[in-house]
PDB file of all heavy atoms in Angstrom:
ATOM      1  N   ARG O 153      66.856 152.823  23.856  1.00  0.00           N
ATOM      2  CA  ARG O 153      68.255 153.180  23.658  1.00  0.00           C
ATOM      3  C   ARG O 153      68.416 154.098  22.454  1.00  0.00           C
ATOM      4  O   ARG O 153      69.235 155.006  22.433  1.00  0.00           O
ATOM      5  CB  ARG O 153      69.092 151.920  23.462  1.00  0.00           C
ATOM      6  CG  ARG O 153      69.854 151.573  24.728  1.00  0.00           C
ATOM      7  CD  ARG O 153      70.759 150.407  24.526  1.00  0.00           C
ATOM      8  NE  ARG O 153      69.986 149.166  24.508  1.00  0.00           N
ATOM      9  CZ  ARG O 153      70.532 147.979  24.260  1.00  0.00           C
ATOM     10  NH1 ARG O 153      71.801 147.880  24.005  1.00  0.00           N
ATOM     11  NH2 ARG O 153      69.772 146.906  24.275  1.00  0.00           N
ATOM     12  N   MET O 154      67.581 153.844  21.426  1.00  0.00           N
ATOM     13  CA  MET O 154      67.618 154.686  20.234  1.00  0.00           C
ATOM     14  C   MET O 154      67.196 156.119  20.567  1.00  0.00           C
ATOM     15  O   MET O 154      67.733 157.084  20.004  1.00  0.00           O
ATOM     16  CB  MET O 154      66.711 154.086  19.157  1.00  0.00           C
ATOM     17  CG  MET O 154      66.870 154.675  17.786  1.00  0.00           C
ATOM     18  SD  MET O 154      68.573 154.667  17.166  1.00  0.00           S
ATOM     19  CE  MET O 154      68.733 152.946  16.693  1.00  0.00           C
ATOM     20  N   GLU O 155      66.273 156.260  21.497  1.00  0.00           N
ATOM     21  CA  GLU O 155      65.874 157.611  21.926  1.00  0.00           C
ATOM     22  C   GLU O 155      67.065 158.333  22.551  1.00  0.00           C
ATOM     23  O   GLU O 155      67.295 159.508  22.295  1.00  0.00           O
ATOM     24  CB  GLU O 155      64.732 157.538  22.954  1.00  0.00           C
ATOM     25  CG  GLU O 155      63.405 156.991  22.411  1.00  0.00           C
ATOM     26  CD  GLU O 155      62.728 157.953  21.459  1.00  0.00           C
ATOM     27  OE1 GLU O 155      62.136 158.953  21.897  1.00  0.00           O
ATOM     28  OE2 GLU O 155      62.795 157.687  20.242  1.00  0.00           O
ATOM     29  N   ILE O 156      67.810 157.603  23.374  1.00  0.00           N
ATOM     30  CA  ILE O 156      68.944 158.237  24.051  1.00  0.00           C
ATOM     31  C   ILE O 156      70.069 158.547  23.058  1.00  0.00           C
ATOM     32  O   ILE O 156      70.746 159.559  23.163  1.00  0.00           O
ATOM     33  CB  ILE O 156      69.459 157.333  25.208  1.00  0.00           C
ATOM     34  CG1 ILE O 156      68.325 157.106  26.213  1.00  0.00           C
ATOM     35  CG2 ILE O 156      70.669 157.962  25.904  1.00  0.00           C
ATOM     36  CD1 ILE O 156      67.685 158.391  26.758  1.00  0.00           C
ATOM     37  N   LEU O 157      70.206 157.682  22.042  1.00  0.00           N
ATOM     38  CA  LEU O 157      71.172 157.960  20.983  1.00  0.00           C
ATOM     39  C   LEU O 157      70.815 159.284  20.302  1.00  0.00           C
ATOM     40  O   LEU O 157      71.677 160.135  20.052  1.00  0.00           O
ATOM     41  CB  LEU O 157      71.182 156.825  19.950  1.00  0.00           C
ATOM     42  CG  LEU O 157      72.061 157.090  18.717  1.00  0.00           C
ATOM     43  CD1 LEU O 157      73.525 156.830  19.042  1.00  0.00           C
ATOM     44  CD2 LEU O 157      71.636 156.244  17.536  1.00  0.00           C
ATOM     45  N   GLN O 158      69.537 159.454  20.007  1.00  0.00           N
ATOM     46  CA  GLN O 158      69.106 160.710  19.371  1.00  0.00           C
ATOM     47  C   GLN O 158      69.396 161.897  20.274  1.00  0.00           C
ATOM     48  O   GLN O 158      69.858 162.942  19.821  1.00  0.00           O
ATOM     49  CB  GLN O 158      67.600 160.652  19.055  1.00  0.00           C
ATOM     50  CG  GLN O 158      67.241 159.621  18.011  1.00  0.00           C
ATOM     51  CD  GLN O 158      65.736 159.463  17.850  1.00  0.00           C
ATOM     52  OE1 GLN O 158      65.001 160.428  17.951  1.00  0.00           O
ATOM     53  NE2 GLN O 158      65.287 158.253  17.606  1.00  0.00           N
ATOM     54  N   MET O 159      69.133 161.709  21.557  1.00  0.00           N
ATOM     55  CA  MET O 159      69.390 162.798  22.492  1.00  0.00           C
ATOM     56  C   MET O 159      70.878 163.164  22.485  1.00  0.00           C
ATOM     57  O   MET O 159      71.244 164.343  22.456  1.00  0.00           O
ATOM     58  CB  MET O 159      68.924 162.409  23.895  1.00  0.00           C
ATOM     59  CG  MET O 159      69.153 163.512  24.923  1.00  0.00           C
ATOM     60  SD  MET O 159      68.434 163.108  26.528  1.00  0.00           S
ATOM     61  CE  MET O 159      69.651 161.974  27.152  1.00  0.00           C
ATOM     62  N   ALA O 160      71.715 162.140  22.526  1.00  0.00           N
ATOM     63  CA  ALA O 160      73.153 162.400  22.570  1.00  0.00           C
ATOM     64  C   ALA O 160      73.602 163.169  21.339  1.00  0.00           C
ATOM     65  O   ALA O 160      74.418 164.073  21.420  1.00  0.00           O
ATOM     66  CB  ALA O 160      73.903 161.071  22.692  1.00  0.00           C
ATOM     67  N   LEU O 161      73.038 162.800  20.170  1.00  0.00           N
ATOM     68  CA  LEU O 161      73.462 163.458  18.926  1.00  0.00           C
ATOM     69  C   LEU O 161      72.904 164.868  18.812  1.00  0.00           C
ATOM     70  O   LEU O 161      73.556 165.758  18.273  1.00  0.00           O
ATOM     71  CB  LEU O 161      73.021 162.621  17.721  1.00  0.00           C
ATOM     72  CG  LEU O 161      73.730 161.277  17.572  1.00  0.00           C
ATOM     73  CD1 LEU O 161      73.044 160.433  16.516  1.00  0.00           C
ATOM     74  CD2 LEU O 161      75.202 161.501  17.204  1.00  0.00           C
ATOM     75  N   LEU O 162      71.682 165.059  19.289  1.00  0.00           N
ATOM     76  CA  LEU O 162      71.038 166.362  19.115  1.00  0.00           C
ATOM     77  C   LEU O 162      71.429 167.336  20.229  1.00  0.00           C
ATOM     78  O   LEU O 162      71.200 168.535  20.098  1.00  0.00           O
ATOM     79  CB  LEU O 162      69.509 166.194  19.048  1.00  0.00           C
ATOM     80  CG  LEU O 162      69.015 165.398  17.828  1.00  0.00           C
ATOM     81  CD1 LEU O 162      67.550 165.040  17.953  1.00  0.00           C
ATOM     82  CD2 LEU O 162      69.250 166.184  16.533  1.00  0.00           C
ATOM     83  N   ALA O 163      72.030 166.816  21.290  1.00  0.00           N
ATOM     84  CA  ALA O 163      72.535 167.658  22.386  1.00  0.00           C
ATOM     85  C   ALA O 163      71.579 168.790  22.755  1.00  0.00           C
ATOM     86  O   ALA O 163      71.913 169.963  22.594  1.00  0.00           O
ATOM     87  CB  ALA O 163      73.914 168.211  22.029  1.00  0.00           C
ATOM     88  N   PRO O 164      70.381 168.439  23.232  1.00  0.00           N
ATOM     89  CA  PRO O 164      69.378 169.470  23.525  1.00  0.00           C
ATOM     90  C   PRO O 164      69.768 170.281  24.758  1.00  0.00           C
ATOM     91  O   PRO O 164      70.631 169.876  25.524  1.00  0.00           O
ATOM     92  CB  PRO O 164      68.119 168.654  23.807  1.00  0.00           C
ATOM     93  CG  PRO O 164      68.631 167.362  24.347  1.00  0.00           C
ATOM     94  CD  PRO O 164      69.894 167.089  23.591  1.00  0.00           C
ATOM     95  N   LYS O 165      69.082 171.427  24.940  1.00  0.00           N
ATOM     96  CA  LYS O 165      69.294 172.208  26.155  1.00  0.00           C
ATOM     97  C   LYS O 165      68.458 171.649  27.281  1.00  0.00           C
ATOM     98  O   LYS O 165      68.824 171.709  28.451  1.00  0.00           O
ATOM     99  CB  LYS O 165      68.875 173.664  25.916  1.00  0.00           C
ATOM    100  CG  LYS O 165      69.808 174.398  24.986  1.00  0.00           C
ATOM    101  CD  LYS O 165      69.402 175.867  24.923  1.00  0.00           C
ATOM    102  CE  LYS O 165      70.312 176.635  23.999  1.00  0.00           C
ATOM    103  NZ  LYS O 165      69.550 177.587  23.174  1.00  0.00           N
ATOM    104  N   PHE O 166      67.260 171.164  26.899  1.00  0.00           N
ATOM    105  CA  PHE O 166      66.361 170.652  27.915  1.00  0.00           C
ATOM    106  C   PHE O 166      65.761 169.347  27.433  1.00  0.00           C
ATOM    107  O   PHE O 166      65.139 169.287  26.381  1.00  0.00           O
ATOM    108  CB  PHE O 166      65.234 171.667  28.190  1.00  0.00           C
ATOM    109  CG  PHE O 166      64.373 171.261  29.336  1.00  0.00           C
ATOM    110  CD1 PHE O 166      64.774 171.522  30.644  1.00  0.00           C
ATOM    111  CD2 PHE O 166      63.186 170.578  29.126  1.00  0.00           C
ATOM    112  CE1 PHE O 166      63.994 171.118  31.716  1.00  0.00           C
ATOM    113  CE2 PHE O 166      62.403 170.169  30.201  1.00  0.00           C
ATOM    114  CZ  PHE O 166      62.818 170.447  31.490  1.00  0.00           C
ATOM    115  N   ALA O 167      65.957 168.277  28.207  1.00  0.00           N
ATOM    116  CA  ALA O 167      65.486 166.965  27.768  1.00  0.00           C
ATOM    117  C   ALA O 167      64.472 166.401  28.748  1.00  0.00           C
ATOM    118  O   ALA O 167      64.628 166.519  29.968  1.00  0.00           O
ATOM    119  CB  ALA O 167      66.678 166.006  27.657  1.00  0.00           C
ATOM    120  N   ILE O 168      63.431 165.814  28.167  1.00  0.00           N
ATOM    121  CA  ILE O 168      62.412 165.147  28.971  1.00  0.00           C
ATOM    122  C   ILE O 168      62.527 163.657  28.682  1.00  0.00           C
ATOM    123  O   ILE O 168      62.511 163.247  27.519  1.00  0.00           O
ATOM    124  CB  ILE O 168      61.006 165.629  28.572  1.00  0.00           C
ATOM    125  CG1 ILE O 168      60.946 167.154  28.621  1.00  0.00           C
ATOM    126  CG2 ILE O 168      59.940 164.999  29.441  1.00  0.00           C
ATOM    127  CD1 ILE O 168      59.768 167.730  27.854  1.00  0.00           C
ATOM    128  N   LEU O 169      62.653 162.868  29.711  1.00  0.00           N
ATOM    129  CA  LEU O 169      62.699 161.415  29.529  1.00  0.00           C
ATOM    130  C   LEU O 169      61.424 160.841  30.111  1.00  0.00           C
ATOM    131  O   LEU O 169      61.230 160.854  31.321  1.00  0.00           O
ATOM    132  CB  LEU O 169      63.907 160.814  30.250  1.00  0.00           C
ATOM    133  CG  LEU O 169      65.277 161.439  29.971  1.00  0.00           C
ATOM    134  CD1 LEU O 169      66.363 160.653  30.712  1.00  0.00           C
ATOM    135  CD2 LEU O 169      65.573 161.456  28.496  1.00  0.00           C
ATOM    136  N   ASP O 170      60.535 160.372  29.221  1.00  0.00           N
ATOM    137  CA  ASP O 170      59.251 159.845  29.698  1.00  0.00           C
ATOM    138  C   ASP O 170      59.353 158.335  29.851  1.00  0.00           C
ATOM    139  O   ASP O 170      59.291 157.592  28.876  1.00  0.00           O
ATOM    140  CB  ASP O 170      58.136 160.232  28.704  1.00  0.00           C
ATOM    141  CG  ASP O 170      56.752 159.915  29.258  1.00  0.00           C
ATOM    142  OD1 ASP O 170      56.650 159.364  30.380  1.00  0.00           O
ATOM    143  OD2 ASP O 170      55.769 160.207  28.556  1.00  0.00           O
ATOM    144  N   GLU O 171      59.517 157.893  31.061  1.00  0.00           N
ATOM    145  CA  GLU O 171      59.627 156.454  31.376  1.00  0.00           C
ATOM    146  C   GLU O 171      60.633 155.755  30.489  1.00  0.00           C
ATOM    147  O   GLU O 171      60.353 154.676  29.954  1.00  0.00           O
ATOM    148  CB  GLU O 171      58.265 155.778  31.290  1.00  0.00           C
ATOM    149  CG  GLU O 171      57.329 156.275  32.377  1.00  0.00           C
ATOM    150  CD  GLU O 171      56.099 155.379  32.559  1.00  0.00           C
ATOM    151  OE1 GLU O 171      56.198 154.169  32.272  1.00  0.00           O
ATOM    152  OE2 GLU O 171      55.062 155.891  32.982  1.00  0.00           O
ATOM    153  N   THR O 172      61.781 156.358  30.314  1.00  0.00           N
ATOM    154  CA  THR O 172      62.804 155.743  29.483  1.00  0.00           C
ATOM    155  C   THR O 172      63.279 154.439  30.115  1.00  0.00           C
ATOM    156  O   THR O 172      63.758 153.545  29.423  1.00  0.00           O
ATOM    157  CB  THR O 172      63.976 156.733  29.291  1.00  0.00           C
ATOM    158  OG1 THR O 172      63.447 157.890  28.639  1.00  0.00           O
ATOM    159  CG2 THR O 172      65.072 156.160  28.443  1.00  0.00           C
ATOM    160  N   ASP O 173      63.099 154.291  31.408  1.00  0.00           N
ATOM    161  CA  ASP O 173      63.570 153.068  32.075  1.00  0.00           C
ATOM    162  C   ASP O 173      62.645 151.867  31.842  1.00  0.00           C
ATOM    163  O   ASP O 173      63.070 150.729  31.966  1.00  0.00           O
ATOM    164  CB  ASP O 173      63.757 153.305  33.586  1.00  0.00           C
ATOM    165  CG  ASP O 173      62.535 153.926  34.241  1.00  0.00           C
ATOM    166  OD1 ASP O 173      61.719 154.553  33.527  1.00  0.00           O
ATOM    167  OD2 ASP O 173      62.389 153.805  35.480  1.00  0.00           O
ATOM    168  N   SER O 174      61.365 152.127  31.486  1.00  0.00           N
ATOM    169  CA  SER O 174      60.472 150.961  31.357  1.00  0.00           C
ATOM    170  C   SER O 174      60.876 150.144  30.141  1.00  0.00           C
ATOM    171  O   SER O 174      61.166 150.670  29.080  1.00  0.00           O
ATOM    172  CB  SER O 174      59.014 151.412  31.266  1.00  0.00           C
ATOM    173  OG  SER O 174      58.796 152.095  30.060  1.00  0.00           O
ATOM    174  N   GLY O 175      60.915 148.863  30.326  1.00  0.00           N
ATOM    175  CA  GLY O 175      61.290 147.971  29.228  1.00  0.00           C
ATOM    176  C   GLY O 175      62.789 147.732  29.117  1.00  0.00           C
ATOM    177  O   GLY O 175      63.224 146.975  28.261  1.00  0.00           O
ATOM    178  N   LEU O 176      63.578 148.381  29.945  1.00  0.00           N
ATOM    179  CA  LEU O 176      65.025 148.166  29.868  1.00  0.00           C
ATOM    180  C   LEU O 176      65.460 147.055  30.830  1.00  0.00           C
ATOM    181  O   LEU O 176      64.994 146.996  31.963  1.00  0.00           O
ATOM    182  CB  LEU O 176      65.768 149.449  30.271  1.00  0.00           C
ATOM    183  CG  LEU O 176      65.700 150.617  29.292  1.00  0.00           C
ATOM    184  CD1 LEU O 176      66.506 151.797  29.834  1.00  0.00           C
ATOM    185  CD2 LEU O 176      66.212 150.212  27.917  1.00  0.00           C
ATOM    186  N   ASP O 177      66.371 146.196  30.362  1.00  0.00           N
ATOM    187  CA  ASP O 177      66.915 145.215  31.290  1.00  0.00           C
ATOM    188  C   ASP O 177      67.949 145.916  32.180  1.00  0.00           C
ATOM    189  O   ASP O 177      68.268 147.089  31.981  1.00  0.00           O
ATOM    190  CB  ASP O 177      67.506 144.012  30.537  1.00  0.00           C
ATOM    191  CG  ASP O 177      68.721 144.376  29.701  1.00  0.00           C
ATOM    192  OD1 ASP O 177      69.583 145.147  30.184  1.00  0.00           O
ATOM    193  OD2 ASP O 177      68.818 143.884  28.559  1.00  0.00           O
TER     194      ASP O 177
END
Side-chain angles (χ1 to χ4, degrees):
Chain O
R153 258 184 284 176
M154 192 54 77
E155 294 289 284
I156 301 305
L157 174 79
Q158 294 173 36
M159 180 173 77
L161 292 169
L162 296 169
K165 290 186 180 139
F166 187 82
I168 307 162
L169 309 183
D170 190 358
E171 293 195 29
T172 299
D173 51 338
S174 67
L176 290 181
D177 65 42

